[in-house]
Amino acid sequence: MSPIRQDTAAVNAAIDAELQLMDPAVRTSRALAARLLDPEFVEVGASGRRWTYEEMLAALPDLDGGGGEDGPRFEPSGMGGVVLAPGIVHLTYETDFDGRRARRSSLWRRQGGETGWRMYYHQATPVPAGD
């Protein structure tokens, strides 16, 4: 089954939400971050640690990128996505954070009755030096 590629509005909305999660103002606000993470959210971080919704909301202000406007920020590149099914978008991209690169993959979903997209799953994999 091939992904549905024609729904660029859904992909663009998921990209916008992903970029919001990289904003220090969002990372340091539990209320703003909670609107972007699905209650069933799970992340496998670059460290290999598994994070749940509550764990991520509690830790996000202290994680990389939450240090305010003057601290290092995630620099995304090559961000793109596809609609896998109605209400499900898969994004892939790379980030550079203070010289550390990671390849990232996120699943965003919008359930019936919801107006916004929420991150359901995220995984970060470190890029080996020299790659």
Side-chain angles (χ1 to χ4, degrees):
M1 181 171 147
S2 65
I4 304 166
R5 296 182 185 275
Q6 67 272 19
D7 193 348
T8 57
V11 170
N12 288 338
I15 288 173
D16 180 60
E18 184 93 33
L19 293 172
Q20 288 179 51
L21 277 172
M22 291 182 210
D23 184 330
V26 172
R27 297 175 78 79
T28 57
S29 168
R30 183 179 176 96
L32 293 175
R35 282 189 252 162
L36 294 168
L37 296 180
D38 191 276
E40 296 178 15
F41 170 82
V42 173
E43 175 173 327
V44 178
S47 67
R49 179 176 174 179
R50 183 182 183 277
W51 298 84
T52 65
Y53 174 80
E54 284 299 330
E55 290 170 335
M56 183 56 70
L57 287 177
L60 199 55
D62 298 319
L63 295 176
D64 288 344
E69 293 299 320
D70 295 332
R73 297 183 75 151
F74 286 96
E75 298 295 333
S77 63
M79 192 175 285
V82 295
V83 175
L84 298 177
I88 305 287
V89 172
H90 180 220
L91 299 181
T92 56
Y93 61 102
E94 286 192 19
T95 57
D96 184 296
F97 182 85
D98 207 22
R100 291 175 297 167
R101 291 176 45 222
R103 293 189 177 108
R104 298 181 178 271
S105 176
S106 298
L107 291 175
W108 288 82
R109 75 177 177 179
R110 186 174 66 193
Q111 295 185 315
E114 292 184 355
T115 57
W117 289 86
R118 292 178 166 216
M119 183 184 282
Y120 174 76
Y121 179 81
H122 184 78
Q123 182 162 351
T125 305
V127 176
D131 191 0

